[in-house]
Amino acid sequence: MIPPEAMIDSDLSADIVANVPFFRNGVPDILDKAKIRDRYGELIHLRSPLGSYDLKSTSGSTGRPLRVFFSEWDHAVVRACYCRLYEYLPKLHYKSVSIRHYEKSEPLDAPWTPVLHYVKATDTLFAHTFRYLSSKETGQDLATALTTIEPALIEGYASAIYLAARFLRARQKTLPSVEVISPSGEFIPDAYRKLFSEVFPRAMICDRYGAVEVGAIAWQCPICRNYQLNADFFSLDTTGERTLISKRFVSAAHLYRYDLGDPIAPQENRCSIELPSIKILEGRRDDFLVDQDGEILPIMPYDLDTIPGLVQWQIVQ
């Protein structure tokens, strides 16, 4: 749990102006990515513990990478938000796969990495054994690894999971061992969901919505399928033309009225989980390309690399 001293004062804007150097001259109407890119070092909350920061970078797939500082509390919030999702998923005590932008994949015969999750609300402790695969791998290599491992859970970049699933579908293969797909980092088009349901016929798709520079903003409830906002850690302003998000806890990358660039709208919550429900209207528009045949080509992990005869390519935005 996040200690009480990590939560900011009830008067959000007054606390920000007093404790975050970037906002010393007042709170701007909107904080955008350009301001973060140029002045990320000024976003550290002065009440955040010194000497415990690490620098995180976005992938840069939708423009120049952003760099932000994360403290131990920032990472604790991310873990707390993920545990909220895992509490309502099947208690998977067995094989899981993470597909992200790792430098390289773990060997398939390497020892399994145990990851423990504690859920305070139900006082339960459960474990996953993870195998880490790199999203830089081709769809064929990822599909081969998934077929060999036969995981119960797949988490990571939606486009990387999509590449593996597309390869499996082309060879008329399915993977019934998968019970949960928990994507993150990208908007999931309907074409992705349709393919996942074909290739992973027993899998429940539970999306996590967020961004590297912000953290875990919301999660898709396995019960009602709506996206539930992690409202104790984030607040959302949807009154204007843009959706602005603010952190409600002491942070080494303190974002206040930040325009993430995603069209989001509040939604009536009829779920037994009493958190604000949001609807993601479109998602980030730069997460995928569509070719002349209407086939989706994910930008991450750069499926263009697999086109025969293509020597060099560049995405210009």
Side-chain angles (χ1 to χ4, degrees):
M1 294 297 293
I2 308 304
E5 62 268 23
M7 303 306 293
I8 64 174
D9 302 333
S10 57
D11 188 348
L12 189 60
S13 60
D15 179 275
I16 300 306
V17 171
N19 292 292
V20 181
F22 180 88
F23 300 109
R24 278 291 170 81
N25 294 323
V27 177
D29 290 336
I30 293 174
L31 177 65
D32 57 27
K33 294 186 178 183
K35 294 184 178 73
I36 294 177
R37 186 177 292 115
D38 296 335
R39 300 174 60 186
Y40 64 91
E42 300 176 43
L43 289 169
I44 295 177
H45 198 293
L46 297 181
R47 284 163 49 193
S48 185
L50 297 175
S52 60
Y53 309 140
D54 60 90
L55 193 60
K56 297 188 66 175
S57 296
T58 63
S59 67
S61 63
T62 58
R64 287 187 297 159
L66 297 180
R67 294 186 294 176
V68 295
F69 284 105
F70 260 46
S71 68
E72 294 176 359
W73 283 344
D74 288 284
H75 290 295
V77 167
V78 172
R79 288 193 294 271
C81 292
Y82 285 172
C83 281
R84 174 172 282 156
L85 167 61
Y86 290 136
E87 178 180 2
Y88 295 98
L89 293 180
K91 298 300 184 286
L92 301 171
H93 295 270
Y94 34 99
K95 295 181 290 186
S96 304
V97 164
S98 175
I99 308 177
R100 294 187 175 275
H101 202 60
Y102 306 118
E103 187 61 32
K104 60 181 180 180
S105 297
E106 285 185 317
L108 296 182
D109 58 353
W112 285 87
T113 304
V115 178
L116 298 176
H117 295 286
Y118 173 67
V119 181
K120 183 176 178 61
T122 55
D123 193 30
T124 56
L125 180 69
F126 55 99
H128 301 273
T129 49
F130 266 99
R131 174 75 73 236
Y132 297 95
L133 302 179
S134 173
S135 59
K136 300 177 183 179
E137 303 281 359
T138 65
Q140 179 177 353
D141 290 339
L142 291 173
T144 299
L146 293 178
T147 303
T148 302
I149 297 169
E150 295 187 333
L153 179 146
I154 303 175
E155 78 90 32
Y157 295 143
S159 58
I161 303 172
Y162 174 84
L163 290 181
R166 193 172 65 177
F167 183 87
L168 290 170
R169 182 184 63 180
R171 280 143 187 84
Q172 299 183 336
K173 293 183 178 180
T174 62
L175 205 57
S177 67
V178 180
E179 297 182 21
V180 175
I181 296 176
S182 182
S184 64
E186 302 164 277
F187 178 67
I188 308 178
D190 289 340
Y192 282 31
R193 294 181 182 271
K194 182 176 183 298
L195 179 61
F196 292 165
S197 66
E198 295 173 4
V199 177
F200 312 109
R202 296 182 59 239
M204 175 171 55
I205 301 175
C206 297
D207 187 23
R208 301 198 307 267
Y209 172 65
V212 171
E213 67 271 28
V214 182
I217 300 170
W219 53 280
Q220 188 177 22
C221 173
I223 301 172
C224 70
R225 313 308 296 157
N226 290 340
Y227 286 85
Q228 308 282 8
L229 178 69
N230 285 308
D232 40 1
F233 302 120
F234 301 97
S235 62
L236 212 59
D237 181 356
T238 59
T239 55
E241 294 182 358
R242 303 182 182 184
T243 302
L244 306 178
I245 189 165
S246 300
K247 290 187 175 182
R248 301 185 61 240
F249 61 96
V250 173
S251 171
H254 206 94
L255 306 184
Y256 180 70
R257 292 181 57 78
Y258 172 51
D259 178 14
L260 187 59
D262 294 353
I264 301 172
Q267 185 171 262
E268 182 181 0
N269 185 12
R270 298 179 178 179
C271 184
S272 58
I273 303 173
E274 297 180 357
L275 288 170
S277 182
I278 62 174
K279 184 176 183 180
I280 302 172
L281 301 178
E282 186 174 353
R284 267 146 267 174
R285 299 186 179 122
D286 300 325
D287 279 346
F288 52 87
L289 305 173
V290 179
D291 66 13
Q292 294 178 342
D293 298 325
E295 180 75 6
I296 291 177
L297 297 175
I299 294 178
M300 266 168 42
Y302 305 123
D303 192 40
L304 300 176
D305 285 340
T306 66
I307 298 177
L310 183 64
V311 177
Q312 185 178 13
W313 58 271
Q314 181 181 11
I315 297 175
V316 179
Q317 301 187 77

